[in-house]
């Protein structure tokens, strides 16, 4: 079956797992209307492990154990959710960030880049690296580097305009800022953000009760945050069937085919534990491995034909 894989990556302690758990609630209640899927006012948030404190919770990459099926023009699409260890922090390992970025890009057809407060230069620098890795992975595995990209800005407080409308304005400002520098400081990021498949969404602060140790209940959220969360999750799930994973030629990938590519990438990473200090180094490592694999295949064919 076709697969829509929603993956989230970004800074640690910025509510990535929290968001995915509300996506879980929506996917578990496909027929619910008017926000009823969000649950009871006092219902604790469960699913991917999460908590509100300074210590990271998610380590590595975690996929939810079962797909959720959504209708799509007479057939069904399997929606999978993937949580990723927080990155972009001073305690983090750059090599680990590159590996996680590569795996996230290989997996996803709907990529969320989770950002705090506003899109800053370090975020664009990270996105630039992220895109370099995506191109490397895409070229070696026959995958489109990015099918859909959401810049999800959390804790927005700069203006009163939120959601997709505010995000469109913020994204326009970012593009203008990047275009104003010569040469462009982050050319790949600018190119990606100009695509129709990229968008920005602004979420306000969740409220003190959420950030001070809440169980993630609706009762503890500020009203504008709850509304923003509901709208974002609803829109994402409604469009999931339009974001199925394809290869670089536009052919649909099944879950089995995608799993094979993931396994191959994981094997390369295990073989070259110290070969990913930069996107360029990663490109060389992947290229060398593919050349070696082709040589082995050609040699095996030669021996059989003798």
């Amino acid at each position: 079956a076709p697969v829509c894989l929603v993956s989230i990556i970004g800074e640690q302690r910025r509510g990535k797992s929290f968001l995915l758990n509300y996506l879980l609630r929506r996917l578990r209640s496909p027929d619910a209307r008017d926000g009823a899927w969000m649950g009871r006012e006092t219902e604790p948030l469960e699913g991917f492990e999460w908590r509100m404190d300074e210590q990271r919770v998610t380590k590595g990459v975690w996929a939810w154990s079962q797909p959720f099926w959504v209708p799509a023009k007479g057939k069904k699409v399997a929606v999978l959710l993937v949580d990723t260890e927080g990155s972009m922090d001073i305690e983090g390992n750059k090599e680990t960030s590159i590996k996680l970025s590569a795996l996230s890009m290989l997996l996803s057809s709907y990529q969320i880049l989770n950002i705090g407060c506003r899109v800053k230069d370090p975020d664009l620098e990270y996105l630039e690296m992220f895109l370099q890795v995506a191109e490397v992975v895409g070229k070696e595995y026959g995958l489109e580097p990015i099918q859909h990209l959401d810049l999800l800005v959390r804790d927005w407080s700069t203006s009163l305009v939120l959601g997709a409308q505010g995000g469109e304005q913020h994204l326009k400002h970012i593009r203008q800022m990047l275009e104003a520098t010569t040469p462009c400081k982050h050319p790949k990021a600018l190119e990606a953000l100009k695509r129709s498949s990229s968008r920005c969404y602004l979420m306000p602060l969740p409220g003190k009760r959420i950030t001070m140790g809440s169980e993630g209940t609706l009762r503890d959220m500020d009203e504008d945050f709850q509304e923003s969360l509901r709208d974002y999750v609803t829109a994402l799930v409604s469009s999931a069937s339009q974001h199925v994973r394809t290869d670089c030629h536009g052919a649909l990938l099944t879950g089995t085919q995608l799993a094979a590519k993931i396994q191959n990438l994981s094997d390369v990473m295990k073989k070259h534990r110290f070969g990913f200090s930069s996107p360029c180094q990663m490109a060389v490592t992947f290229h060398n491995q593919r050349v070696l694999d082709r040589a082995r295949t050609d040699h095996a064919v030669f021996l059989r034909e003798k």
Side-chain angles (χ1 to χ4, degrees):
V3 177
C4 169
L5 207 150
V6 181
S7 177
I8 188 166
I9 195 167
E11 292 178 77
Q12 67 168 345
R13 317 309 311 133
R14 286 292 182 180
K16 297 186 297 298
S17 303
F18 177 95
L19 174 70
L20 287 178
N21 285 335
Y22 272 98
L23 278 168
L24 278 176
R25 281 192 181 180
R26 183 68 186 98
L27 289 163
R28 285 168 169 166
S29 305
D31 300 322
R33 296 184 179 182
D34 301 326
W37 60 267
M38 296 189 82
R40 301 184 306 276
E41 284 288 310
T42 58
E43 184 178 348
L45 188 60
E46 298 176 340
F48 289 96
E49 186 180 359
W50 77 284
R51 63 175 178 264
M52 286 292 185
D53 62 30
E54 294 184 2
Q55 300 300 314
R56 70 171 65 193
V57 177
T58 306
K59 293 189 177 181
V61 177
W62 290 83
W64 193 248
S65 57
Q66 64 186 55
F68 296 90
W69 298 94
V70 297
K73 295 181 179 179
K75 54 185 178 181
K76 289 187 175 182
V77 170
V79 179
L80 298 171
L81 301 180
V82 173
D83 198 6
T84 311
E85 175 181 320
S87 54
M88 300 166 66
D89 64 283
I90 57 175
E91 297 177 358
N93 180 285
K94 185 177 180 182
E95 184 173 328
T96 299
S97 291
I98 293 173
K99 285 182 178 181
L100 292 178
S101 296
L103 191 55
S104 182
M105 286 313 307
L106 178 63
L107 289 169
S108 68
S109 55
Y110 197 112
Q111 182 69 59
I112 303 170
L113 181 57
N114 202 59
I115 294 169
C117 300
R118 61 186 177 84
V119 179
K120 304 168 289 295
D121 190 70
D123 299 315
L124 294 170
E125 190 174 316
Y126 180 79
L127 178 58
E128 186 77 10
M129 181 194 76
F130 190 73
L131 291 165
Q132 288 180 40
V133 172
E135 285 189 6
V136 171
V137 175
K139 183 178 180 181
E140 295 298 334
Y141 288 88
L143 293 170
E144 185 71 24
I146 287 187
Q147 290 191 198
H148 181 91
L149 175 65
D150 268 7
L151 297 184
L152 180 59
V153 181
R154 312 292 286 270
D155 302 342
W156 177 264
S157 60
T158 306
S159 69
L160 295 176
V161 185
L162 299 167
Q165 183 182 355
E168 187 177 349
Q169 294 175 7
H170 190 45
L171 188 57
K172 182 180 179 181
H173 170 72
I174 295 163
R175 288 196 295 255
Q176 290 173 343
M177 181 182 67
L178 287 171
E179 288 171 337
T181 59
T182 306
C184 181
K185 192 174 179 181
H186 307 297
K188 292 186 185 297
L190 176 59
E191 181 185 349
L193 296 178
K194 282 184 171 181
R195 295 175 189 155
S196 59
S197 57
S198 295
R199 69 166 188 152
C200 181
Y201 192 94
L202 308 181
M203 276 192 183
L205 289 156
K208 283 186 178 180
R209 285 178 296 183
I210 283 285
T211 57
M212 296 301 288
S214 164
E215 292 183 309
T217 63
L218 296 177
R219 181 182 62 184
D220 289 341
M221 295 178 193
D222 283 357
E223 187 176 341
D224 59 348
F225 176 78
Q226 186 179 142
E227 182 180 330
S228 182
L229 177 65
R230 183 191 67 228
D231 291 348
Y232 180 78
V233 169
T234 299
L236 194 161
V237 172
S238 297
S239 68
S241 62
Q242 302 168 31
H243 298 289
V244 294
R245 197 61 173 105
T246 61
D247 64 16
C248 59
H249 304 294
L252 293 178
L253 288 178
T254 65
T256 302
Q257 291 169 326
L258 189 58
K261 291 180 183 293
I262 294 166
Q263 184 62 56
N264 192 295
L265 176 63
S266 298
D267 290 344
V268 173
M269 286 182 170
K270 289 174 185 176
K271 286 179 183 176
H272 303 278
R273 290 182 59 197
F274 306 105
F276 303 109
S277 59
S278 71
C280 289
Q281 182 62 50
M282 188 174 187
V284 171
T285 302
F286 270 93
H287 176 72
N288 289 345
Q289 184 63 48
R290 300 293 274 187
V291 169
L292 183 60
D293 290 344
R294 283 194 292 268
R296 284 173 175 163
T297 301
D298 292 344
H299 183 63
V301 171
F302 172 75
L303 291 177
R304 284 198 302 269
E305 291 177 348
K306 283 196 70 175

Coordinates of all heavy atoms in Angstrom, one line a residue, residues 15-66:
G15 N 8.7 20.3 22.1 CA 7.3 19.8 21.9 C 7.1 18.9 20.7 O 6.0 18.8 20.2
K16 N 8.2 18.2 20.2 CA 8.0 17.4 19.0 C 7.1 16.1 19.4 O 6.2 15.8 18.6 CB 9.3 16.9 18.5 CG 10.2 18.0 18.0 CD 11.5 17.5 17.3 CE 12.4 16.8 18.3 NZ 12.9 17.6 19.4
S17 N 7.4 15.5 20.4 CA 6.7 14.3 20.8 C 5.3 14.7 21.3 O 4.3 13.9 21.0 CB 7.4 13.5 22.0 OG 8.7 13.2 21.6
F18 N 5.1 15.8 21.9 CA 3.8 16.3 22.3 C 2.9 16.5 21.1 O 1.8 16.0 21.1 CB 4.0 17.7 23.0 CG 2.8 18.4 23.4 CD1 2.3 18.3 24.7 CD2 2.1 19.3 22.5 CE1 1.1 19.0 25.0 CE2 1.0 19.9 22.8 CZ 0.5 19.8 24.1
L19 N 3.5 17.1 20.0 CA 2.7 17.3 18.8 C 2.3 15.9 18.2 O 1.1 15.7 17.8 CB 3.5 18.1 17.8 CG 2.9 18.2 16.4 CD1 1.7 19.1 16.5 CD2 3.9 18.7 15.4
L20 N 3.2 15.0 18.1 CA 2.9 13.7 17.5 C 1.8 12.9 18.3 O 1.0 12.2 17.7 CB 4.2 12.8 17.4 CG 5.3 13.2 16.4 CD1 6.5 12.3 16.5 CD2 4.7 13.2 15.0
N21 N 1.8 13.1 19.6 CA 0.8 12.5 20.4 C -0.6 13.0 20.0 O -1.6 12.3 20.1 CB 1.1 12.6 21.9 CG 2.2 11.7 22.3 OD1 2.4 10.7 21.6 ND2 2.9 12.0 23.3
Y22 N -0.7 14.3 19.7 CA -2.0 14.8 19.3 C -2.3 14.4 17.8 O -3.5 14.2 17.5 CB -2.1 16.3 19.4 CG -2.6 16.7 20.8 CD1 -1.7 17.0 21.8 CD2 -3.9 16.7 21.1 CE1 -2.1 17.3 23.1 CE2 -4.4 16.9 22.4 CZ -3.4 17.3 23.4 OH -3.9 17.5 24.7
L23 N -1.3 14.2 17.0 CA -1.6 13.5 15.7 C -2.1 12.1 15.9 O -3.0 11.7 15.2 CB -0.3 13.5 14.9 CG 0.1 14.8 14.2 CD1 1.5 14.7 13.7 CD2 -0.8 15.1 13.0
L24 N -1.5 11.4 16.9 CA -2.1 10.1 17.2 C -3.5 10.1 17.5 O -4.3 9.3 17.1 CB -1.3 9.5 18.4 CG 0.1 8.8 18.1 CD1 0.7 8.4 19.4 CD2 -0.1 7.6 17.1
R25 N -3.9 11.1 18.4 CA -5.3 11.2 18.8 C -6.2 11.4 17.6 O -7.3 10.8 17.4 CB -5.5 12.3 19.8 CG -5.1 12.0 21.2 CD -5.5 13.0 22.2 NE -5.1 12.7 23.5 CZ -5.4 13.4 24.6 NH1 -6.1 14.6 24.5 NH2 -5.0 13.0 25.8
R26 N -5.8 12.3 16.7 CA -6.6 12.6 15.5 C -6.7 11.4 14.6 O -7.8 11.0 14.1 CB -5.9 13.7 14.7 CG -6.8 14.2 13.5 CD -8.1 14.8 14.0 NE -9.0 15.1 12.9 CZ -10.0 14.4 12.6 NH1 -10.2 13.2 13.2 NH2 -10.9 14.7 11.6
L27 N -5.6 10.6 14.4 CA -5.6 9.5 13.5 C -6.4 8.3 14.1 O -7.0 7.5 13.4 CB -4.2 9.0 13.2 CG -3.4 9.9 12.3 CD1 -1.9 9.7 12.4 CD2 -3.9 9.8 10.9
R28 N -6.5 8.3 15.4 CA -7.3 7.2 16.1 C -8.8 7.6 16.1 O -9.6 6.7 16.4 CB -6.8 7.1 17.6 CG -5.5 6.4 17.7 CD -5.0 6.5 19.1 NE -3.9 5.6 19.4 CZ -3.1 5.7 20.4 NH1 -3.3 6.7 21.3 NH2 -2.1 4.9 20.6
S29 N -9.2 8.8 15.8 CA -10.6 9.2 15.7 C -10.9 9.8 14.4 O -11.2 11.0 14.3 CB -10.9 10.2 16.9 OG -10.5 9.6 18.1
P30 N -10.8 9.1 13.3 CA -11.0 9.6 12.0 C -12.4 10.2 11.7 O -12.5 11.1 10.9 CB -10.8 8.4 11.0 CG -11.0 7.2 11.9 CD -10.6 7.6 13.3
D31 N -13.4 9.8 12.4 CA -14.8 10.2 12.2 C -15.2 11.4 13.1 O -16.3 11.9 13.0 CB -15.8 9.1 12.3 CG -15.5 8.0 11.3 OD1 -15.1 8.3 10.1 OD2 -15.6 6.8 11.6
A32 N -14.3 11.7 14.1 CA -14.7 12.8 15.1 C -14.8 14.1 14.4 O -14.0 14.4 13.5 CB -13.7 12.8 16.2
R33 N -15.7 15.0 14.9 CA -15.9 16.3 14.3 C -15.7 17.4 15.3 O -15.8 17.1 16.5 CB -17.3 16.4 13.6 CG -17.5 15.4 12.5 CD -18.8 15.6 11.8 NE -19.0 14.8 10.7 CZ -20.1 14.8 9.9 NH1 -21.1 15.6 10.1 NH2 -20.2 13.9 8.9
D34 N -15.5 18.6 14.8 CA -15.5 19.8 15.7 C -14.5 19.7 16.8 O -14.8 20.1 17.9 CB -16.9 20.1 16.2 CG -17.9 20.3 15.1 OD1 -17.5 20.8 14.1 OD2 -19.0 19.9 15.3
G35 N -13.4 19.1 16.6 CA -12.4 19.0 17.7 C -12.6 18.0 18.7 O -11.8 17.9 19.7
A36 N -13.6 17.1 18.6 CA -13.9 16.1 19.6 C -12.8 15.1 19.7 O -12.6 14.5 20.8 CB -15.2 15.4 19.3
W37 N -12.0 15.0 18.6 CA -10.9 14.0 18.6 C -9.8 14.4 19.6 O -9.0 13.6 20.0 CB -10.2 14.0 17.2 CG -9.7 15.3 16.7 CD1 -10.4 16.2 16.0 CD2 -8.4 15.8 17.0 NE1 -9.6 17.3 15.7 CE2 -8.4 17.1 16.4 CE3 -7.3 15.4 17.7 CZ2 -7.2 17.9 16.4 CZ3 -6.2 16.2 17.7 CH2 -6.1 17.4 17.1
M38 N -9.8 15.7 20.1 CA -8.7 16.1 21.0 C -8.8 15.5 22.4 O -7.9 15.6 23.2 CB -8.7 17.7 21.1 CG -8.4 18.3 19.8 SD -8.1 20.1 19.9 CE -6.4 20.2 20.5
G39 N -10.0 14.9 22.7 CA -10.1 14.2 23.9 C -10.8 15.0 25.0 O -11.3 16.1 24.8
R40 N -10.9 14.4 26.2 CA -11.5 15.1 27.3 C -10.6 16.2 27.9 O -9.4 16.2 27.7 CB -11.8 14.1 28.4 CG -12.8 13.0 28.0 CD -13.1 12.1 29.2 NE -11.9 11.6 29.8 CZ -11.2 10.5 29.5 NH1 -11.6 9.8 28.4 NH2 -10.2 10.1 30.2
E41 N -11.2 17.2 28.6 CA -10.4 18.3 29.1 C -9.3 17.9 30.1 O -8.3 18.5 30.1 CB -11.4 19.2 29.8 CG -12.2 20.1 28.9 CD -11.4 21.2 28.2 OE1 -10.7 21.9 28.9 OE2 -11.5 21.3 27.0
T42 N -9.5 16.8 30.8 CA -8.6 16.3 31.8 C -7.8 15.0 31.4 O -7.2 14.4 32.2 CB -9.3 16.1 33.1 OG1 -10.3 15.1 32.9 CG2 -9.9 17.4 33.7
E43 N -7.9 14.7 30.1 CA -7.3 13.4 29.7 C -5.8 13.6 29.5 O -5.4 14.4 28.7 CB -7.9 13.0 28.3 CG -7.5 11.6 27.8 CD -8.2 11.2 26.5 OE1 -9.2 11.9 26.2 OE2 -7.7 10.3 25.9
P44 N -5.0 12.8 30.2 CA -3.5 12.9 30.1 C -3.1 12.5 28.7 O -3.7 11.6 28.0 CB -3.0 11.9 31.1 CG -4.1 11.7 32.1 CD -5.4 11.8 31.2
L45 N -2.0 13.1 28.2 CA -1.5 12.9 26.9 C -0.6 11.7 26.9 O 0.4 11.6 27.7 CB -0.7 14.1 26.4 CG -0.3 14.1 24.9 CD1 -1.5 14.0 24.0 CD2 0.5 15.3 24.6
E46 N -0.9 10.7 26.0 CA -0.1 9.4 26.0 C 0.3 9.1 24.6 O -0.3 9.7 23.6 CB -1.0 8.3 26.6 CG -1.3 8.5 28.0 CD -2.2 7.3 28.6 OE1 -2.8 6.7 27.7 OE2 -2.3 7.2 29.8
G47 N 1.2 8.2 24.4 CA 1.7 7.8 23.1 C 3.2 7.7 23.1 O 3.8 7.0 23.8
F48 N 3.8 8.6 22.3 CA 5.3 8.7 22.3 C 5.7 9.3 23.7 O 5.0 10.2 24.2 CB 5.8 9.7 21.2 CG 5.7 9.1 19.9 CD1 4.6 9.4 19.1 CD2 6.7 8.3 19.3 CE1 4.5 8.9 17.8 CE2 6.6 7.8 18.0 CZ 5.5 8.1 17.3
E49 N 6.8 8.8 24.3 CA 7.2 9.3 25.6 C 7.5 10.8 25.5 O 8.2 11.3 24.6 CB 8.4 8.5 26.1 CG 8.8 8.9 27.5 CD 10.0 8.1 28.0 OE1 10.5 7.3 27.2 OE2 10.4 8.3 29.1
W50 N 7.1 11.6 26.5 CA 7.3 13.0 26.5 C 7.2 13.5 28.0 O 6.6 12.9 28.8 CB 6.3 13.8 25.6 CG 5.0 13.9 26.3 CD1 4.0 13.0 26.4 CD2 4.5 15.1 26.9 NE1 2.9 13.4 27.1 CE2 3.2 14.7 27.4 CE3 5.0 16.4 27.2 CZ2 2.4 15.7 28.1 CZ3 4.2 17.3 27.9 CH2 2.9 16.9 28.3
R51 N 7.8 14.6 28.2 CA 7.6 15.3 29.5 C 8.1 16.8 29.3 O 9.0 17.1 28.5 CB 8.3 14.6 30.6 CG 9.8 14.5 30.5 CD 10.5 13.9 31.8 NE 11.9 13.8 31.6 CZ 12.5 12.7 31.3 NH1 11.8 11.7 31.0 NH2 13.8 12.7 31.1
M52 N 7.7 17.6 30.2 CA 8.1 19.0 30.2 C 9.2 19.3 31.2 O 8.9 19.5 32.3 CB 6.9 20.0 30.5 CG 5.9 20.1 29.4 SD 6.6 21.0 27.9 CE 5.1 21.1 26.9
D53 N 10.4 19.1 30.7 CA 11.6 19.6 31.5 C 12.8 19.8 30.6 O 12.6 19.8 29.4 CB 11.9 18.5 32.7 CG 12.3 17.2 32.1 OD1 12.9 17.1 31.0 OD2 12.0 16.2 32.8
E54 N 14.0 20.0 31.2 CA 15.1 20.4 30.4 C 15.9 19.2 29.8 O 16.7 19.3 28.9 CB 16.1 21.2 31.2 CG 15.5 22.6 31.6 CD 16.5 23.4 32.3 OE1 17.6 23.0 32.5 OE2 16.1 24.6 32.7
Q55 N 15.6 18.0 30.3 CA 16.3 16.8 29.8 C 15.6 16.2 28.6 O 14.4 16.1 28.6 CB 16.4 15.8 30.9 CG 17.1 16.3 32.2 CD 18.5 16.6 31.9 OE1 19.3 15.9 31.2 NE2 18.9 17.8 32.4
R56 N 16.4 15.8 27.6 CA 15.8 15.2 26.4 C 15.2 13.8 26.8 O 15.7 13.1 27.7 CB 16.8 15.0 25.3 CG 17.9 14.0 25.6 CD 18.8 13.8 24.3 NE 19.5 15.0 24.0 CZ 20.1 15.1 22.8 NH1 20.1 14.2 21.9 NH2 20.8 16.2 22.5
V57 N 14.1 13.5 26.1 CA 13.4 12.2 26.3 C 13.7 11.2 25.2 O 14.1 10.1 25.4 CB 11.9 12.4 26.5 CG1 11.2 11.1 26.7 CG2 11.7 13.4 27.7
T58 N 13.4 11.7 24.0 CA 13.5 10.8 22.8 C 15.0 10.7 22.4 O 15.7 11.7 22.3 CB 12.8 11.4 21.6 OG1 11.4 11.6 22.0 CG2 12.8 10.4 20.4
K59 N 15.4 9.4 22.2 CA 16.8 9.2 21.7 C 16.7 8.3 20.5 O 16.1 7.3 20.4 CB 17.6 8.5 22.8 CG 17.9 9.4 24.0 CD 18.9 8.7 25.0 CE 19.2 9.7 26.2 NZ 20.1 9.1 27.1
G60 N 17.5 8.8 19.4 CA 17.4 8.0 18.2 C 16.2 8.4 17.4 O 15.6 9.5 17.5
V61 N 15.7 7.4 16.6 CA 14.5 7.6 15.8 C 13.5 6.5 16.2 O 13.8 5.3 16.2 CB 14.8 7.5 14.3 CG1 13.6 7.6 13.4 CG2 15.8 8.6 13.9
W62 N 12.3 7.0 16.5 CA 11.2 6.0 16.9 C 10.0 6.1 16.0 O 9.5 7.2 15.7 CB 10.7 6.3 18.3 CG 11.8 6.0 19.4 CD1 12.8 6.8 19.7 CD2 11.9 4.8 20.1 NE1 13.6 6.1 20.7 CE2 13.0 4.9 20.9 CE3 11.1 3.6 20.2 CZ2 13.4 3.9 21.8 CZ3 11.5 2.6 21.1 CH2 12.6 2.8 21.9
A63 N 9.5 5.0 15.5 CA 8.3 5.0 14.6 C 7.2 4.3 15.4 O 7.4 3.4 16.2 CB 8.6 4.2 13.4
W64 N 6.0 4.9 15.3 CA 4.8 4.3 16.0 C 4.6 2.9 15.4 O 4.9 2.6 14.2 CB 3.6 5.1 15.8 CG 2.5 4.7 16.7 CD1 1.3 4.2 16.3 CD2 2.5 4.9 18.1 NE1 0.5 3.9 17.5 CE2 1.3 4.3 18.6 CE3 3.4 5.4 19.0 CZ2 0.9 4.3 19.9 CZ3 3.0 5.3 20.4 CH2 1.8 4.8 20.8
S65 N 4.2 2.0 16.3 CA 4.3 0.5 16.0 C 3.2 0.1 14.9 O 3.3 -1.0 14.4 CB 4.0 -0.3 17.3 OG 2.8 0.1 17.9
Q66 N 2.3 0.9 14.6 CA 1.3 0.5 13.6 C 0.9 1.7 12.7 O 0.9 2.8 13.1 CB 0.0 0.0 14.3 CG -0.7 1.1 15.2 CD -1.9 0.5 16.0 OE1 -1.7 -0.4 16.7 NE2 -3.0 1.1 15.8

